[in-house]
Every structure is written in structure tokens, then in C-alpha cells.
């Protein structure tokens, strides 16, 4: 291998790759000039990441990109559903609508944050999405400090590259611009890992106990953001164990207080708020999202689908990431970074939830995309670092291959993200505005909408709504209780909805507006719910008397004659 290039050329290429591509995290002091170059390149990477992050805030009210690889139902419903408590608080004066879908009973953290934002901005789609874009910014910032904490002596580009890959990802772009639960869950998870990482530092005194308190607060915040956070706890436990030198007495000394704080906060919320007032709504959230049917017979097919659908995270990132992870495990063996192991457990834990739940929606994979991206960067950096004692030419080849891999991941992602930024569409937003105009044109009719997308429409228009799909009351009872004035359906009225509405209303179709790209949900139809039209009772028709039996008065035979 060393004979392929002359010594002078190898030295030049090695210097170039060391200082311009992916420097190793070596403990040897870097000379002042290369250190300056390293800082400049780090700054350039972070600047590019900052530019792409800023693009997330452009066209906030645009549709989820049409004709994208991700056909996710959340783009019609979830932004409204999980912020409904905040929306209703400002529109109705109360966050709770008895019998309707009230997920805030079990998942209050996100609507509380939206409530704080709406206090200053009013209820709007742009405000809700601006909040989640801000959360993505904190995800990038936390990821940078987390990777730097475990990887980063001066001169390492791993933290900046990790942030850049996340910022340019089109998958992250489309889902971190939606006001859904996953970005906030990811942020809390990263903050928990960062707090645990602080425990590994020596001589931090009182600060160590403050970090334990922070961990104890973050754990229930994760659960109350999205209950699937429990699948991430093994990754948290592992990093805590390693950060405390794998010593049981130290681990228990800090883990028990953290768990006590977390358990106390969650139990207090449940005992004081949920159990006496909203236990039915709390239980309903779990029954509505119940286990969906993986069996021994379907185990391998479900697992195969779960792994295959990981390509949603990136057609290059996903296969390249799996390859880098495999190479890293084989090459590094016991020298794998503790953070890398924790990220592996994070990905494995949430993958097990996806397979168990067997409802493979693309948005769920966002919780996997973040650790996978960080893991790829960390392992790639560690693999390159493991060749530091090899020949100059081999080091050059390895570093160049690493750079090529990073460019192959980042460049197509960046181009796709720019394409989405350049061509926004507003079909759903425009349809919602037209629905508002139709309803406003009939002031005598109740403005209350019944729709599976009602909460999204409320977020965009300010009109009140109830859900036609989820709720603790049966739909017929809910409709009879709240008497909506309008029904807004996608493409057609399903039989169960018609059965619940027709005893009380006559559905009068008044408008239809094209929106989005799903063949099953691309036409938003507005029905006015009028009183039922009374149907006249059918009159009995007198049967005509046969001509031979017709007689005049007095010609009828007597009874006696008839008897004869």
C-alpha cells in the first residue's frame, strides 16, 4: 500500500486530509497555524448548518411537501390534535371538551408550551410551527455540545459535521417544521444525555447534585411529552452507568435520587390531576393507540418492514449509516465511545417500539434519525482515528474515504432540502381559509365543525371543532350533545359517520376544495348539517272495484240471498 505513492506526495495528502477534511481527535497539540485552520473550517461547517437551519423558518405555513417519499397521516391531523388543549383554551376559554379527543390529559407538556407561545402570538399555525423550529434549533445546539463532550478535543470536526448533517437532512426538514410531539421528545432525550455526561466530569461538587435533579425532572417531562419515551430509558441507564465508572455504589447513589424525583413528579401529576378528573381520557389515549397485532407468525415480516422503512431517514444516510456502524463495531470493538453505545441503545429501543406497535408512520422514524446521524459521525471519526499509527498512505486513503462518505450523504440531502424550500405549496392552508369563508357566510348556522382534521382547521382558522374519529363518547352521542353545524370530510362520507349524522341532520354538500396529494385525502368537502327533511307518510291507495261487482244502491243482494 505504501508503495503506491511516493513519500513526499503521501505527506502532502496526509497534511491536507488532516487539516481540511476530518482531523483526528489526537492528544498531540496542534500547531498554531493548523489550529487556526481547524477553527476556520469548524466555523464554516457551523455557518452552513446555521444557514440551512434558518431555511426551516421560511414558508412556515406551507403544506407538508406534496409528492414526497413520506405519506404520513400526521400532516392532516396531529398538529391540531396534540396542541388542541392550547388551541381550545384561547378559542373557548377551556382546554377540555368532554367526550371528545383530549390527549393533553396524558401528554400535557407540548400543549403547555404552545399555550405560553399563544399568549404572545395568538393561535396560529405559524406560531405553532415556529415553536417546533425553535426546538429543532435547540436539538442542533444540544447535539453539538453532546458530541463535543465525548468526542471533542480541539481540532475535531465531529460535532460540527453532526450538526451539519442534521441541518441539511430533508427528512428532518419536513418533520421538524411540523407542530408534533417527536421533536420535543428528542430534545428532552438529548438534554438528559448531556446532563448525564456532566456527571462524568471530576470535581464538580454541588453541580453534580443539580445535574441529578435536572435528570429527575427531564425523565417525567419525556413521559408526559410522549409515552413511548420509556423505550429510550435503557440508553439513559447505560450512559449513567458508564459516566459513573461502572461502579454500582456510585450508580445507585445518583440513580436512586433521580428516579425518586422523576417518580414523585409523575405520580403527583397523575394523583392530583389525572385520577380525580381525567382518568377516562388518560386511559382512552392508550386504548386508541393499542397494540396493533404483531404475532409469532408475522414477527419476521414486521421486523423486516420496520428495518426496510428506515430508508425514509435518507436513501444514502441509512445504508451508509448501517455500513459505518457495522465497520465501527468490527474495527473498534471495546474502544467504542460510551456515547456511541448509548445512541445504539436509543435506536434499538425505539426500533423495538416501532416493531411492537406495527404502525410504521414516517414521523416515528424521526426519533431514530437523530441518534443515527450522531452515531454515523462519531463512529466514522473514531474509525479514522483508529488508523493514526498506520502508514501515511493508508491514513490518507481512510480519511479521503471518510470525506467522500460525508459528501455523499450531505450533498443530495442539501439539494433536496433546497428544492422543498424553493417550491412551497399552500393547498391545505388555502382550503382551510375557504372553509372558513363558507362557514362565515352562513352566520345563522353553528360554526362548530365536525372533522377528523378539525383540530388542524381550528389551528389555521380559529373555528371551533370536534373530532369525528376519536373520543370517549360514541360519535352519535357526541354529535347529539354538541350539535355541530358543519361536517368537513376528506373525499367521502364513511358509512359509520353517515349512520351517526343522518338521524339528526340532512347533509347538504356546499363546497369542495382540493388539498394535499394523498389519493384518499386530496379533496376537502364541506357539508352543511341541516335539520332532517320530514318525509310525508305515504297515503294508501284504494283498490278499484272490478266492473262486474259494481252495483247501484238497492241492487246489493241481501244476506239471505247470499246464503242461498
Amino acid at each position: 500500500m505504501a508503495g503506491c505513492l511516493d513519500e513526499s506526495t503521501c505527506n502532502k495528502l496526509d497534511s491536507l486530509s488532516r487539516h481540511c477534511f476530518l482531523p483526528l481527535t489526537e492528544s498531540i497539540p496542534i500547531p498554531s497555524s493548523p489550529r487556526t485552520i481547524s477553527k476556520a473550517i469548524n466555523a464554516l461547517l457551523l455557518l452552513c448548518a446555521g444557514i440551512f437551519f434558518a431555511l426551516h423558518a421560511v414558508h412556515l405555513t406551507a403544506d407538508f411537501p406534496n409528492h414526497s417519499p413520506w405519506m404520513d397521516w400526521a400532516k392532516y391531523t396531529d398538529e391540531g390534535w396534540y396542541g388542541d388543549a392550547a388551541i381550545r383554551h384561547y378559542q373557548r376559554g377551556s382546554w377540555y371538551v368532554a367526550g371528545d379527543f383530549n390527549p393533553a390529559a396524558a401528554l400535557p407538556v407540548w400543549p403547555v408550551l404552545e399555550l405560553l407561545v399563544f399568549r404572545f402570538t395568538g393561535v396560529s399555525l405559524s406560531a405553532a410551527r415556529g415553536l417546533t423550529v425553535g426546538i429543532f434549533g435547540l436539538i442542533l445546539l444540544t447535539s453539538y455540545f453532546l458530541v463535543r463532550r465525548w468526542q471533542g478535543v480541539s481540532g475535531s470536526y465531529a460535532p460540527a459535521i453532526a450538526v451539519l448533517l442534521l441541518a441539511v437532512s430533508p427528512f428532518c426538514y419536513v418533520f421538524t417544521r411540523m407542530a408534533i410531539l417527536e421533536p420535543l421528545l428528542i430534545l428532552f432525550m438529548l438534554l438528559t444525555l448531556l446532563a448525564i455526561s456532566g456527571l462524568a466530569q471530576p470535581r464538580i461538587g454541588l453541580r453534580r447534585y443539580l445535574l441529578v435533579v435536572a435528570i429527575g425532572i427531564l425523565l417525567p417531562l419525556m413521559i408526559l411529552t410522549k409515552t413511548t419515551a420509556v423505550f429510550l430509558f435503557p440508553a439513559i441507564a447505560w450512559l449513567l452507568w458508564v459516566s459513573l465508572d461502572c461502579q454500582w455504589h456510585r450508580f445507585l447513589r445518583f440513580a436512586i435520587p433521580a428516579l425518586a424525583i422523576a417518580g414523585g413528579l409523575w405520580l403527583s401529576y397523575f394523583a392530583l390531576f389525572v385520577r380525580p378528573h381525567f382518568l377516562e381520557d388518560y386511559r382512552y389515549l392508550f386504548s386508541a393507540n393499542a397494540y396493533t397485532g404483531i404475532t409469532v407468525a408475522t414477527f419476521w415480516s414486521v421486523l423486516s418492514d420496520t428495518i426496510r422503512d428506515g430508508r425514509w431517514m435518507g436513501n444514502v444516510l441509512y445504508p451508509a449509516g448501517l455500513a459505518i456502524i457495522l465497520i465501527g463495531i468490527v474495527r473498534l470493538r471495546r474502544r467504542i465511545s460510551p456515547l456511541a453505545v448509548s445512541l445504539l441503545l436509543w435506536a434499538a429501543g425505539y426500533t423495538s417500539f416501532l416493531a411492537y406497535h406495527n404502525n410504521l408512520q414516517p414521523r416515528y422514524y424521526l426519533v431514530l434519525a437523530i441518534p443515527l446521524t450522531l452515531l454515523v459521525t462519531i463512529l466514522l471519526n473514531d474509525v479514522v482515528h483508529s488508523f493514526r499509527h498506520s502508514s501515511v498512505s493508508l491514513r490518507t486513503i481512510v480519511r479521503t474515504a471518510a470525506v467522500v462518505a460525508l459528501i455523499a450523504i450531505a450533498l443530495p440531502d442539501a439539494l433536496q432540502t433546497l428544492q422543498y424550500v424553493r417550491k412551497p405549496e399552500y393547498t391545505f392552508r388555502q382550503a382551510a381559509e375557504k372553509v372558513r369563508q363558507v362557514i362565515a357566510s352562513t352566520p345563522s348556522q353553528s360554526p362548530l365543525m365536525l372533522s377528523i382534521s378539525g383540530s388542524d382547521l381550528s389551528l389555521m382558522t380559529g373555528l371551533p371543532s370536534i373530532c369525528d374519529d376519536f373520543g370517549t363518547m360514541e360519535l352519535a352521542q357526541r354529535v347529539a350533545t354538541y350539535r355541530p353545524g358543519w361536517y368537513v370530510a376528506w373525499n367521502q362520507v364513511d358509512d359509520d359517520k353517515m349512520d351517526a349524522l343522518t338521524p339528526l341532520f340532512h347533509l347538504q354538500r356546499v363546497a369542495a376544495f382540493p388539498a394535499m396529494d394523498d389519493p384518499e385525502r386530496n379533496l376537502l368537502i364541506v357539508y352543511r348539517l341541516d335539520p332532517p327533511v320530514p318525509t310525508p307518510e305515504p297515503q294508501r291507495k284504494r283498490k278499484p272495484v272490478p266492473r262486474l261487482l259494481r252495483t247501484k244502491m238497492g241492487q246489493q243482494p241481501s244476506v239471505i240471498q247470499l246464503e242461498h
Side-chain angles (χ1 to χ4, degrees):
M1 186 70 69
C4 297
L5 300 171
D6 62 81
E7 189 67 23
S8 173
T9 303
C10 286
N11 287 331
K12 290 179 181 178
L13 288 174
D14 183 59
S15 176
L16 183 63
S17 64
R18 178 187 296 271
H19 300 306
C20 296
F21 296 130
L22 187 67
L24 305 178
T25 55
E26 297 176 358
S27 58
I28 301 173
I30 301 175
S32 58
S33 179
R35 187 182 297 275
T36 302
I37 295 173
S38 175
K39 288 182 178 180
I41 294 176
N42 257 310
L44 181 61
L45 292 171
L46 292 174
L47 176 62
C48 292
I51 292 171
F52 273 88
F53 166 67
L55 294 177
H56 285 62
V58 178
H59 311 304
L60 275 180
T61 60
D63 293 345
F64 187 97
N66 288 322
H67 311 294
S68 73
W70 311 287
M71 189 57 69
D72 196 302
W73 297 341
K75 62 186 183 181
Y76 303 97
T77 55
D78 284 32
E79 292 181 282
W81 277 352
Y82 294 105
D84 232 346
I87 298 167
R88 288 169 170 172
H89 174 77
Y90 283 100
Q91 291 178 343
R92 301 184 177 196
S94 173
W95 71 271
Y96 184 72
V97 177
D100 201 44
F101 187 38
N102 296 289
L107 309 173
V109 177
W110 175 249
V112 166
L113 289 180
E114 282 195 332
L115 197 68
L116 295 174
V117 172
F118 291 162
R119 183 180 182 89
F120 299 99
T121 64
V123 177
S124 71
L125 181 62
S126 57
R129 288 184 175 175
L131 174 60
T132 197
V133 168
I135 287 171
F136 182 59
L138 294 176
I139 288 172
L140 297 179
L141 191 65
T142 310
S143 297
Y144 178 82
F145 286 115
L146 181 63
V147 175
R148 193 174 75 168
R149 176 72 55 85
W150 289 95
Q151 288 296 112
V153 296
S154 177
S156 172
Y157 295 163
I161 290 173
V163 170
L164 179 62
L165 291 180
L166 290 174
V168 303
S169 167
F171 182 71
C172 290
Y173 173 81
V174 297
F175 285 104
T176 60
R177 283 166 44 87
M178 295 182 68
I180 54 178
L181 303 177
E182 282 74 13
L184 185 59
L185 172 61
I186 293 166
L187 176 61
F188 285 148
M189 178 62 176
L190 290 169
L191 288 172
T192 303
L193 296 182
L194 186 60
I196 292 172
S197 303
L199 295 176
Q201 294 184 331
R203 299 186 301 275
I204 57 175
L206 178 62
R207 182 183 166 200
R208 178 168 291 175
Y209 296 96
L210 294 177
L211 290 173
V212 171
V213 172
I215 294 166
I217 294 172
L218 285 166
L219 292 179
L221 285 177
M222 290 171 64
I223 293 291
L224 296 175
T225 297
K226 192 170 176 67
T227 54
T228 54
V230 295
F231 290 89
L232 307 181
F233 281 14
I236 294 171
W238 161 261
L239 196 64
L240 182 62
W241 166 256
V242 174
S243 297
L244 299 173
D245 300 326
C246 303
Q247 298 178 8
W248 277 110
H249 68 281
R250 296 190 68 201
F251 176 77
L252 295 176
R253 178 184 171 189
F254 292 102
I256 291 175
L259 288 175
I261 293 170
L265 290 173
W266 185 87
L267 287 173
S268 297
Y269 172 78
F270 186 84
L272 299 176
F273 184 75
V274 173
R275 185 175 178 82
H277 306 292
F278 308 109
L279 186 58
E280 184 180 14
D281 298 275
Y282 185 89
R283 288 173 172 168
Y284 179 77
L285 181 71
F286 294 93
S287 64
N289 292 280
Y291 170 65
T292 55
I294 186 173
T295 64
V296 174
T298 63
F299 176 81
W300 291 111
S301 63
V302 170
L303 183 61
S304 174
D305 290 343
T306 304
I307 296 172
R308 182 197 64 205
D309 287 345
R311 69 186 189 281
W312 282 327
M313 293 182 278
N315 289 328
V316 178
L317 172 66
Y318 185 58
L322 293 181
I324 291 169
I325 290 169
L326 181 60
I327 293 170
I329 292 173
V330 172
R331 172 73 185 176
L332 301 172
R333 295 186 181 92
R334 295 182 180 180
R335 293 173 293 162
I336 296 178
S337 161
L339 177 60
V341 177
S342 182
L343 294 171
L344 275 171
L345 290 173
W346 174 348
Y350 216 75
T351 300
S352 66
F353 156 69
L354 294 180
Y356 173 81
H357 192 49
N358 193 18
N359 181 19
L360 304 178
Q361 293 291 305
R363 67 184 179 279
Y364 296 149
Y365 284 85
L366 183 65
V367 186
L368 296 177
I370 305 300
L372 179 67
T373 304
L374 300 184
L375 189 58
V376 166
T377 309
I378 290 170
L379 289 180
L380 190 60
N381 187 77
D382 287 353
V383 167
V384 173
H385 181 63
S386 69
F387 285 91
R388 65 190 181 279
H389 299 307
S390 302
S391 64
V392 175
S393 58
L394 182 57
R395 291 201 309 268
T396 302
I397 291 170
V398 170
R399 289 171 182 162
T400 304
V403 172
V404 170
L406 291 172
I407 292 174
I409 293 171
L411 186 59
D413 279 3
L415 293 176
Q416 184 62 69
T417 298
L418 290 173
Q419 184 73 3
Y420 289 147
V421 174
R422 287 180 56 249
K423 296 184 177 180
E425 296 181 70
Y426 295 86
T427 59
F428 193 22
R429 184 72 184 86
Q430 292 166 354
E433 177 58 26
K434 291 175 181 177
V435 169
R436 188 196 66 77
Q437 293 172 4
V438 168
I439 293 176
S441 67
T442 313
S444 59
Q445 191 85 352
S446 167
L448 181 64
M449 296 179 291
L450 175 71
S451 177
I452 192 171
S453 297
S455 297
D456 274 29
L457 294 172
S458 294
L459 180 61
M460 290 186 274
T461 66
L463 296 171
S465 66
I466 56 175
C467 183
D468 73 349
D469 201 16
F470 294 105
T472 53
M473 281 185 190
E474 293 295 331
L475 181 57
Q477 183 184 1
R478 209 177 328 147
V479 167
T481 300
Y482 292 105
R483 309 288 297 193
W486 306 85
Y487 179 49
V488 183
W490 287 102
N491 290 48
Q492 64 181 9
V493 181
D494 295 332
D495 291 342
D496 59 328
K497 311 303 186 295
M498 185 65 78
D499 292 342
L501 290 168
T502 49
L504 297 171
F505 301 105
H506 168 68
L507 277 69
Q508 180 63 48
R509 176 169 169 160
V510 295
F513 308 110
M516 298 283 198
D517 60 338
D518 186 345
E520 296 180 359
R521 291 183 180 179
N522 58 9
L523 187 66
L524 203 60
I525 306 174
V526 184
Y527 295 91
R528 189 176 62 244
L529 299 180
D530 295 334
V533 178
T535 55
E537 203 172 310
Q539 296 182 354
R540 289 185 176 180
K541 293 184 179 180
R542 297 181 62 181
K543 292 184 179 180
V545 179
R547 186 172 182 181
L548 294 175
L549 296 179
R550 295 177 191 171
T551 57
K552 295 180 180 179
M553 189 62 67
Q555 291 181 342
Q556 293 84 0
S558 64
V559 176
I560 298 174
Q561 289 175 328
L562 287 172
E563 288 178 354
H564 289 290

